[in-house]
Amino acid sequence: MMVRHTAAGFAVLALAACAAPSQHAGGSAPPRLDGESGQYTLLKSVRPARLTPFTTAAGETVDLGHFRGKVVLLSFWASWCAPCLYEMPLLDRLAREMAGADLAVVPVSIDERGLPAAAAFYRAHGLRDLGIYLDPDQRTAYFDGTNRNDAEFALYGLPISYILDRQGRVMGYITGAVDWQSDAAARLLRHYLAVDDAGAARTSE
């Protein structure tokens, strides 16, 4: 059972854009983060994310290029996913605490029922600070072994979160519900936030 932490860890995270940590994404390995089903795993081959479109609650089409210049926490979920009940409120709080920072929290629903299912879930669980993004046809993500649409992000389970750096490169992923309020999560996100869009560590002004 994961323990929910206070916002103290995020006081450090909020300073990440102007403070260089001892480790950064352009050099050594990121700090360890464990989820309910596994730990954060670096991809063997870092690659730019393809600009596969998904939609917003307003019906607008966007892609990951919309968030270029920010670190992206891309989380795939569905209304029928039991662990998502735990994780989504934590992502909502993270989005609220990091408003205006260089982190984009992007939860993409793969629920086949689309907006009605996602909107009902948000209302039922009081989610107010997360955007709603939809991929009911799984053009962006696919379940392992069923990549019939040539989608990019493998779903080894739900929820699953990928981290993209400021250049839009897919760096790694973590499966299962994650305590995004934990100190370990703050350290991992700080690791990527402390690197600028040219891949160099940011320094204090």
Side-chain angles (χ1 to χ4, degrees):
M1 181 75 178
M2 287 179 291
V3 179
R4 200 175 289 192
H5 294 249
T6 67
F10 287 88
V12 177
L13 177 56
L15 298 175
C18 62
S22 58
Q23 296 181 338
H24 62 83
S28 54
R32 181 186 178 103
L33 175 63
D34 292 307
E36 189 177 52
S37 303
Q39 68 183 60
Y40 179 71
T41 302
L42 283 171
L43 294 178
K44 293 180 180 178
S45 178
V46 173
R47 68 188 192 280
R50 295 198 302 271
L51 302 184
T52 308
F54 46 94
T55 59
T56 69
E60 299 173 342
T61 299
V62 296
D63 58 44
L64 290 169
H66 179 77
F67 306 101
R68 190 64 56 85
K70 291 190 174 187
V71 173
V72 177
L73 178 59
L74 178 68
S75 181
F76 293 98
W77 70 283
S79 63
W80 42 260
C81 160
C84 297
L85 295 173
Y86 173 84
E87 185 177 69
M88 288 293 283
L90 296 174
L91 288 173
D92 187 63
R93 184 175 171 186
L94 176 62
R96 178 167 59 254
E97 292 173 345
M98 294 302 295
D102 291 342
L103 175 70
V105 182
V106 183
V108 178
S109 170
I110 63 163
D111 201 306
E112 293 179 355
R113 295 176 293 161
L115 180 58
F121 184 97
Y122 273 49
R123 288 194 300 270
H125 299 285
L127 308 183
R128 300 182 180 86
D129 293 278
L130 285 176
I132 296 179
Y133 301 96
L134 307 163
D135 184 19
D137 299 323
Q138 294 181 29
R139 293 178 298 175
T140 304
Y142 64 95
F143 283 101
D144 191 29
T146 62
N147 189 6
R148 60 187 183 276
N149 296 321
D150 194 31
E152 178 164 21
F153 295 96
L155 303 178
Y156 302 115
L158 286 181
I160 182 169
S161 297
Y162 285 83
I163 291 182
L164 282 67
D165 70 3
R166 297 178 188 274
Q167 300 175 62
R169 299 180 301 177
V170 186
M171 306 302 292
Y173 67 91
I174 185 166
T175 58
V178 174
D179 183 357
W180 293 107
Q181 293 296 309
S182 68
D183 293 336
R187 286 192 294 269
L188 179 66
L189 295 174
R190 182 180 63 184
H191 174 83
Y192 290 105
L193 285 167
V195 179
D196 66 22
D197 56 9
R202 292 187 169 192
T203 57
S204 301
E205 294 181 358

